[in-house]
Each structure stands twice: as structure tokens, then as C-alpha cells.
Amino acid sequence: MTDSRRQRRIWYAVGGVLVVAFLAYGTTSFKSNLTPYVSFEEAAQSQRKVQVAGGLVENSTKYVDESQELRFTMVEDGGETMTVLYEGVKPGNFEEAVQIVAIGSYSDGAFHAEQLLVKCPSKYQGLEDDDKEYGSETRSSNPAEPSFAPDVSRTQIGDFMYVPGTILMWTALLAGLASTITYWLSIKDPEKWRGPARQSYVLMTAAIVIGSAVLMYLLVTHDYRLHYVWAYSDNLLPMHYLISTFWGGQEGSFLLWIFFGVLLGLPLMRYARAYESRVMVVYNLTLLSLILLLVKQDPFRFHEGLTAALTPMDGQGLNPLLQNPWMVIHPPIMFIGYASLGIPFAFAIAALWMKRYDEWTKVSMPWVLLSLSSLGLAIMLGGYWAYETLGWGGYWGWDPVENASLVPWLATLALTHGMLLQRGRGRFRRLNLVLAVAAFLLVVYATFLTRSGVLADFSVHSFVDLGITGMLVFNMGFFLVGSLALLAFRWKEIPAEVGDEPFMSRTIFFVVGILLTILIGLVVLFGTSAPLISRLWGAPAQVGPDFYNRMGFW
């Protein structure tokens, strides 16, 4: 055995011991940093950090700008009140909050909050339940219910949905299915089936683009017959915020994601080369999984019980926290990153399918860089918005939803460096295939966390559950089981050469950097999943910034 190989094995053993110690420390830190939800009475008796939630008592807020001391009173559903003290930047739109979550501990007759989560109307309420009695023309005293005015000029549209928009969504679904099937057939007979496959994809793209334009038109013209338009816009919004209502809710943000996805698929078809048929089969499946959600939760549906001769006079408006210039540009950039991560995933699956483990890195590298740059820029913009609006007292508050976008970016960062090593050294094929698959699966998992309502009580960003949780779980399971099964089936066939570089070399430091990036990603993923993991032994809870800071500086 050569000295360099012996030295490498020693360092591998040392590294393994350090990883085990790190994981042990992380588990202990995780449990000690869990902050469960408790009642006001339980918080007053607790000796540890906890979370309390309630409404803001009117006229109870006192804020001193010089010392940044905030004092207010919260009230629970049962009528119990608690005084809360907080030192830091006052969160934006504090007085408009429908709920405040305070994280901290109780002492000296008051709750001392270390962090505040302010939840504002629209995005976080179950709006789907607000329109069950809209058939009456009588204006309700409840401000959440719209008033109506007759509009007999628009009675030709169906009673349940805006038919042109719904038809476009179904056209996109059927065209996507046709493209997927014909691309599958083109694997054996490309001359016969590749043309129809491309044409079907173009038709799907056209349906999504036109459907997006239709929804945007309905938003800017204030067509409040649509539940989505009423729920996220109003007559007073400036044009740039009115445009941003397109992605203000679940349905619109999914449509924006699909919009960028289908557009990216057009150059993908041209530059995928020999991988085209298999890549497009996989990529189409990623798009269809999203289109199915819009078929289930139609953005073009009318209010329940609303006749065509009646239409609300005004909408509920955009979430006040989202009325910020950074939130006009942050979501589109984020969804470009999410959509583009489906492309390296498709190339990785195609490489496993074709047993061609090297060429795919060259063809997919531009897409990986697009994902890395767009996700990174979006995360920075989102962080600045949070700093400016949420009053965290810092740039990054380790919010679970923000973390959910950070973890795929870390996986993409590791993939970028792994691809450079594979192209330069002809190694790390297995690692890169795993990272390409993992980056996309993490996006799917992040979608589940943020859209299922799991994080509704732990993040100011999380959406409420609109009844699509089952489909999100299916999507996650489908891609997870399928990709892992293919990886396991091909694992032994993937070449894995052993390098002979000295330990103190650029390649080794590259590998160390990749492993550290992966390790950081696992820590953030573990902490972000705390509301799910903690359910295994009790009430759901989350970990605070201390967990991430301790693990990061370990």
C-alpha cells in the first residue's frame, strides 16, 4: 500500500469519526432547541423557550424607536391575554396582523419574545371557505364577504368557471400527456414520433402561455367573479402590485412555475441532442405533476353559489406583507430556478436510462448554472425583503420556508462543483447523479412543506392547505421512488475510479468543500423538517435560529 493511499484512509477514518460526532451533537442540539406551541397559561409556567399565538389587542401597542422596544398585548381564542415584550425592528404591517406568533420565554410577568411572526390576511386564511353563502345580493357585515352588483352583460359564461381558462388548462394537460407518450414511442422510432412529440409540447406551451395571459387580463380588469381575482386583488392596488397578484396565491404561483417550465423546455428540445426523447419524457412528467394540481384547484373557478348575473364590487386585496417592490421580482426569479432544476434531473435520469454517465454533465451544465444563479439571486432578494419587512433584526431569520429554497440551492452548488470535477478528472459520476436527483427532489419536498399547510403555524410565508396535500404527497413519492429505484438498479454499473491525488491537492479540497456543502444542507433540511419530525413523539414544534447557528459554527 502506497503512503498516499494509507494517508488517505487515515483521513477518511478521521472524517468519519468527525461526521458521527457532528450528527450526535446535531441530534442533541435539535431536541434542546425545539420550541412547541403552548397556551398562555402553559407559557407562564414553563421554564424553557416556547411559542405562543394569538391576536393583537387593539390600542395595546407601544414602540420606542430609539431603543427599538416593542410592548403589546396578545389575546387567545378563549379570551386570555398576555403582555409581550420584544426588542428589535418592529415588523411591517404589525397592526394589520390576523395572528401573531411570539417565540421566547416567560419571566417577570411578561412574555419576552426573541422572534415574532406576523401573519396578515389573504394568503394565510382559508379563503376557500369564505364564499359559501355568496348567492345573496345582501351585503354582509363581515368584511371578508364581498358585496355584489348586478352585471347582466356577462351572463354567457358558465356558472362554475371561466370556461376559456379552464379549457386551456385541460388542453395543456392533454397535450402534455400526448407529448410524453409520443416521446416515449420516439425512443424506438424517432423519425415517426419525434415530430408529433415536439408539436404536442409546443401546443402545451401555447396553452399555458395563453392561459397565463388570460389570468393576468382578468386580474388587471378586476373581474371579481373569479375567486382567485377577488381573494388577492382589489381596486386600489397600483399596477405593479396588481401584476404581482398573479403569483400572490397558490394557484397563480403554480401557474407561474409551469409558465417558466414550458418556456425552458423549448430550447431544451433543441439542445438535448441524443438525450432528447428520454429527457423530454422525464421533464414532461415534472410539468404534468404541476398541471394536475391546477386541474384539481382551478385558478379560473367562480365563487361557489355565484350566478353569472352577479359579481363582487371589490376584492379582498393583496397580503400587506407582499406589497413590497422586492416581492414583485423575487417570486418570478425563484420559480425560474425551481423550473430549471427539473432539467438536470431529467438529464440524470436519462443518463441512467441510457447508461451514458459522462456526456450528460456537458449538456446539462448550462442549466445547472441557470438554476444556481437564479435560485441564489432569489434567495438574496427574499432575504432583503424579510430584513426590510418582517423585522427579524437581521438578514436571515432561518424561516422554514426560506430554508426550503436554500436546501435545493446548496445541493445545486455541490452539483456544480461535482460536475467540474467529473469533467476535469473523469470521476464522481455517482455523486453527481445523486446530487442532480436530490436537488429536484428537494424542490418537490419544499413544495410539499410550503403548500400543504404543515408549516402554517411556523412561517409567515407558508400557504394554507387547499386540499391538494394528497397530490403533493403522491408527486413526492412518485419521483422519489422512481428515481431511487433507477439509481439502485444502475449503481453497480456506474464507473467509480479511485483517485491517486495526494491528500493536500486541489481535488481533495474540492471534495471537502462539496461534502461540507452537503452536510450544511442536511442540517438545514433537518431543522426545517422539525414540525414533521417532532410529530413522531408529541406536538409539532420548530427549532429556532440557535440550532442553525450552533451547527454552523460547530
Side-chain angles (χ1 to χ4, degrees):
M1 182 183 297
T2 62
D3 291 339
S4 61
R5 185 167 296 182
R6 184 183 297 108
Q7 187 182 37
R8 188 179 294 111
R9 288 192 174 183
I10 293 174
W11 280 108
Y12 285 161
V14 172
V17 172
L18 290 175
V19 169
V20 171
F22 182 82
L23 293 176
Y25 177 77
T27 303
T28 304
S29 180
F30 177 83
K31 291 184 177 180
S32 64
N33 277 276
L34 283 174
T35 53
Y37 266 105
V38 297
S39 65
F40 289 175
E41 182 179 355
E42 292 170 330
Q45 299 173 357
S46 177
Q47 301 298 317
R48 56 175 297 187
K49 184 188 297 185
V50 294
Q51 298 185 73
V52 293
L56 178 65
V57 175
E58 189 175 358
N59 300 322
S60 67
T61 304
K62 296 181 180 179
Y63 183 67
V64 180
D65 291 323
E66 292 78 10
S67 59
Q68 293 186 337
E69 295 179 356
L70 176 63
R71 184 186 185 97
F72 60 95
T73 303
M74 292 172 58
V75 57
E76 282 184 315
D77 292 337
E80 297 291 330
T81 61
M82 174 180 283
T83 300
V84 180
L85 304 178
Y86 173 72
E87 292 187 8
V89 180
K90 182 181 178 182
N93 303 290
F94 184 77
E95 280 74 15
E96 290 85 357
V98 295
Q99 186 185 48
I100 297 173
V101 177
I103 304 172
S105 57
Y106 189 91
S107 65
D108 300 328
F111 190 85
H112 296 261
E114 299 177 8
Q115 186 178 7
L116 295 178
L117 302 180
V118 178
K119 299 186 178 184
C120 289
S122 183
K123 182 178 177 182
Y124 309 105
Q125 292 178 334
L127 296 173
E128 67 278 3
D129 296 328
D130 290 339
D131 51 42
K132 292 183 178 178
E133 299 179 356
Y134 285 178
S136 172
E137 295 185 38
T138 304
R139 182 165 184 169
S140 170
S141 60
N142 184 353
E145 296 182 4
S147 56
F148 295 101
D151 185 1
V152 296
S153 65
R154 294 184 176 181
T155 58
Q156 73 274 16
I157 303 298
D159 292 338
F160 305 104
M161 65 196 71
Y162 187 75
V163 175
T166 301
I167 289 176
L168 287 167
M169 293 300 100
W170 278 97
T171 301
L173 177 64
L174 297 176
L177 287 171
S179 178
T180 304
I181 294 171
T182 47
Y183 260 122
W184 181 283
L185 295 173
S186 72
I187 294 173
K188 292 185 176 181
D189 192 354
E191 293 185 2
K192 180 179 180 180
W193 294 108
R194 188 165 291 175
R198 291 173 174 173
Q199 293 167 2
S200 298
Y201 185 88
V202 171
L203 177 60
M204 175 177 66
T205 302
I208 291 297
V209 171
I210 296 173
S212 301
V214 169
L215 182 58
M216 183 65 76
Y217 172 78
L218 295 172
L219 284 165
V220 299
T221 57
H222 305 294
D223 193 336
Y224 295 122
R225 293 174 302 160
L226 270 71
H227 182 274
Y228 189 84
V229 176
W230 169 81
Y232 297 104
S233 67
D234 60 48
N235 294 332
L236 301 179
L237 280 176
M239 180 56 67
H240 59 291
Y241 290 144
L242 189 61
I243 292 174
S244 69
T245 60
F246 185 100
W247 48 85
Q250 290 230 47
E251 300 94 327
S253 58
F254 274 127
L255 184 56
L256 182 68
W257 185 347
I258 301 167
F259 174 81
F260 288 124
V262 295
L263 291 181
L264 290 174
L266 296 176
L268 176 63
M269 285 192 299
R270 179 175 181 181
Y271 296 109
R273 303 174 188 173
Y275 291 91
E276 180 183 347
S277 295
R278 291 170 177 82
V279 162
M280 293 306 297
V281 167
V282 178
Y283 189 63
N284 278 341
L285 289 175
T286 67
L287 296 175
L288 288 172
S289 68
L290 299 173
I291 297 175
L292 276 170
L293 297 175
L294 290 188
V295 172
K296 167 67 169 62
Q297 192 70 22
D298 191 353
F300 296 98
R301 74 186 189 280
F302 289 152
H303 294 282
E304 184 178 344
L306 175 65
T307 63
L310 297 173
T311 186
M313 298 172 60
D314 200 356
Q316 181 160 306
L318 184 65
N319 186 326
L321 290 178
L322 302 182
Q323 295 183 36
N324 182 285
W326 297 111
M327 292 307 290
V328 176
I329 58 176
H330 160 72
I333 298 174
M334 178 68 73
F335 285 117
I336 291 175
Y338 276 8
S340 58
L341 271 178
I343 298 178
F345 170 75
F347 272 109
I349 297 299
L352 291 166
W353 193 343
M354 301 171 68
K355 303 181 184 179
R356 298 173 62 172
Y357 305 114
D358 288 311
E359 297 94 331
W360 76 277
T361 59
K362 300 177 183 178
V363 185
S364 62
M365 184 57 133
W367 303 106
V368 174
L369 294 176
L370 173 63
S371 303
L372 183 70
S373 57
S374 55
L375 270 179
L377 178 59
I379 290 170
M380 287 191 292
L381 293 175
Y384 190 81
W385 163 78
Y387 174 80
E388 185 178 82
T389 303
L390 299 181
W392 280 338
Y395 180 78
W396 191 262
W398 296 108
D399 182 87
V401 173
E402 296 292 341
N403 292 347
S405 61
L406 175 64
V407 178
W409 181 82
L410 290 171
T412 308
L413 178 64
L415 175 62
T416 304
H417 290 81
M419 282 184 163
L420 292 173
L421 280 180
Q422 181 174 341
R423 294 174 64 177
R425 303 292 182 181
R427 294 163 52 199
F428 306 105
R429 296 176 181 87
R430 291 176 176 175
L431 175 65
N432 288 329
L433 289 167
V434 170
L435 287 173
V437 169
F440 174 74
L441 291 179
L442 287 168
V443 168
V444 178
Y445 179 63
T447 305
F448 163 73
L449 285 180
T450 58
R451 309 290 179 135
S452 64
V454 171
L455 300 179
D457 293 328
F458 300 96
S459 172
V460 296
H461 304 281
S462 182
F463 291 88
V464 296
D465 179 18
L466 294 184
I468 59 174
T469 300
M471 298 183 69
L472 293 173
V473 172
F474 173 80
N475 289 345
M476 187 167 54
F478 174 78
F479 289 112
L480 178 66
V481 173
S483 55
L484 291 184
L486 186 56
L487 271 170
F489 184 71
R490 297 290 195 202
W491 191 257
K492 292 183 179 180
E493 301 177 10
I494 304 173
E497 293 85 359
V498 178
D500 56 357
E501 299 91 349
F503 181 77
M504 301 297 290
S505 65
R506 184 174 63 176
T507 300
I508 296 300
F509 281 108
F510 241 72
V511 174
V512 171
I514 292 172
L515 294 178
L516 286 175
T517 303
I518 295 173
L519 199 59
I520 293 171
L522 290 175
V523 169
V524 178
L525 178 64
F526 195 51
T528 303
S529 304
L532 281 178
I533 298 172
S534 59
R535 293 171 190 261
L536 298 176
W537 58 77
Q542 73 169 348
V543 293
D546 287 346
F547 168 76
Y548 302 101
N549 295 333
R550 288 181 183 179
M551 298 302 296
F553 289 108
W554 186 74

